Amino acid sequence: MNTCKNRCLVCEGESLEVLCRMASWYGIKMFHKVAICRDCGHIQAYPLFDEKEYSIVNRRFFGRKYLPDGQQNPDNSKKERKLNEQLSPYLREGLNILDIGAGEGWALDYFRKHDCRYFAIEAVARLSEAIRTRGGTVIGESLFDDVRGYEHFFDIVVFRAILEHMLSPSAALSRVRRFLHPDGLLYLSVPNAANFSIRKGFRTSYLRPVHISYFCEGNVLRLAHSAGFRAVRSQSSGAELSILLKRGSDKGLKNHNYYAQQKHFFRQQYRRAFVRDTFQIVRLYAARIRHRHIFADGLNEEKD
Ligand SMILES: [Zn+2]
């Protein structure tokens, strides 16, 4: 497992170069650096947070994200359409599906329509209870829980919008691999760091402390390969990378260095959003001063 806070999460190189600072309400401090690896072009939070810092960041951010009890996010049709595009050719009756980081379990109804058996891993107790109530099986709170009996059990594992949050994405993928049946399929999706919107800001919105990694397609494939996967299909159009993987190795995969193109793209987005970001940073700074009692105790728990 990668334990060094200043080491690249993709190639494990130690030659990281600071690109800029993000500014966020949810960070331990208002600013946190983002760096690029000179050896592979991967972009990540710098330094990496430790477990305690990151759990505080997550609690601040996700504490505001989910809707109150019993309500489902009404905007699930788009996510369901994407799931259908990727997985419909592979679905058949009786498959065991694992949805990691299932959230409110919006995918449960989709898989049930296809007569598949739905299992979930979900950390938030209220959400996992809602999944159970609707007939899903929750097997754990975390990918790293001891879930004996489910090794190599699942025909399809859904791992959407999680890998970019992992302090050790390589260990996470290795763990996912253990759940997968030898012929099983992993549906991995991450935000595309080579194509994204800065409509709400670059340093103040796109870059955010809950995201540890900013993957381009080549580097997420490299990481998956090193964790024992080969790509069946990879789509990089739009702001999301959607990748279908199977266990195995991809001998044809070459490791490129995306340093120049990723640095150029991020610097370009920095300049494009400069005025908007500066305005947001001033507002954010004033808000953090106004609410300094929340942040004054540093790593201690917030008292809402
Ligand atoms: Zn690297």
Side-chain angles (χ1 to χ4, degrees):
M1 190 181 288
N2 190 328
T3 52
C4 176
K5 290 174 98 175
N6 296 329
R7 187 172 285 182
C8 172
L9 292 170
V10 169
C11 75
E12 303 203 344
E14 293 181 51
S15 181
L16 295 178
E17 173 187 319
V18 174
L19 277 179
C20 64
R21 288 161 195 264
M22 67 175 100
S24 172
W25 172 264
Y26 306 105
I28 300 297
K29 294 179 181 161
M30 184 172 147
F31 292 101
H32 195 86
K33 284 179 239 171
V34 173
I36 185 166
C37 172
R38 290 190 187 91
D39 298 326
C40 73
H42 182 58
I43 295 171
Q44 64 187 49
Y46 179 88
L48 295 174
F49 302 108
D50 64 30
E51 300 271 354
K52 186 177 179 188
E53 290 167 337
Y54 194 46
S55 72
I56 291 172
V57 169
N58 276 315
R59 195 165 43 76
R60 284 180 184 167
F61 186 83
F62 289 106
R64 289 164 174 81
K65 185 179 167 187
Y66 287 105
L67 296 173
D69 288 351
Q71 291 184 30
Q72 274 207 63
N73 186 334
D75 187 26
N76 288 327
S77 55
K78 198 173 151 196
K79 288 194 279 188
E80 189 172 320
R81 213 164 42 243
K82 277 195 176 163
L83 200 64
N84 191 50
E85 269 170 32
Q86 295 297 324
L87 294 180
S88 60
Y90 303 95
L91 294 181
R92 58 180 195 278
E93 188 181 341
L95 292 186
N96 294 314
I97 312 284
L98 176 63
D99 190 1
I100 299 174
E104 71 271 38
W106 58 271
L108 188 153
D109 294 334
Y110 171 77
F111 287 115
R112 189 182 278 162
K113 265 190 284 188
H114 290 83
D115 298 314
C116 298
R117 296 197 287 167
Y118 181 87
F119 300 77
I121 291 178
E122 174 50 53
V124 179
R126 181 169 53 78
L127 299 173
S128 58
E129 195 46 48
I131 293 169
R132 284 193 186 97
T133 306
R134 288 163 53 227
T137 304
V138 180
I139 65 167
E141 292 181 6
S142 155
L143 188 53
F144 297 98
D145 281 359
D146 181 3
V147 281
R148 254 171 266 178
Y150 291 104
E151 274 107 349
H152 316 309
F153 179 77
F154 294 101
D155 302 293
I156 293 178
V157 175
V158 177
F159 198 44
R160 287 186 70 260
I162 306 285
L163 198 66
E164 67 275 20
H165 297 266
M166 298 268 106
L167 288 168
S168 181
S170 171
L173 281 175
S174 299
R175 189 73 193 180
V176 168
R177 193 175 178 277
R178 284 178 55 187
F179 286 114
L180 207 58
H181 185 274
D183 295 324
L185 193 68
L186 169 62
Y187 169 35
L188 171 68
S189 101
V190 292
N192 184 2
N195 183 1
F196 53 80
S197 164
I198 50 166
R199 206 174 57 249
K200 294 180 183 168
F202 173 62
R203 283 171 293 152
T204 53
S205 178
Y206 173 72
L207 298 176
R208 51 184 64 185
V210 287
H211 284 174
I212 299 297
S213 281
Y214 302 87
F215 290 106
C216 66
E217 185 185 18
N219 275 335
V220 76
L221 288 172
R222 176 177 179 164
L223 190 73
H225 185 234
S226 68
F229 288 101
R230 64 181 173 84
V232 175
R233 191 171 72 186
S234 177
Q235 280 184 322
S236 65
S237 55
E240 190 173 294
L241 294 170
S242 298
I243 303 170
L244 295 179
L245 299 147
K246 284 198 162 196
R247 291 163 56 140
S249 67
D250 191 346
K251 292 184 179 70
L253 190 73
K254 295 214 167 35
N255 294 332
H256 295 288
N257 186 347
Y258 300 92
Y259 170 78
Q261 73 188 60
Q262 284 302 100
K263 182 177 174 179
H264 173 75
F265 185 59
F266 269 55
R267 296 301 294 171
Q268 193 179 50
Q269 302 302 70
Y270 179 100
R271 287 192 295 274
R272 282 183 179 153
F274 185 81
V275 174
R276 187 179 311 139
D277 279 339
T278 303
F279 180 67
Q280 288 291 355
I281 286 168
V282 171
R283 286 183 55 187
L284 194 60
Y285 185 71
R288 286 198 51 139
I289 295 273
R290 251 193 336 274
H291 298 278
R292 58 187 170 278
H293 61 282
I294 294 177
F295 302 101
D297 51 359
L299 293 183
N300 294 327
E301 295 293 294
E302 290 172 31
K303 293 169 188 70
D304 290 331

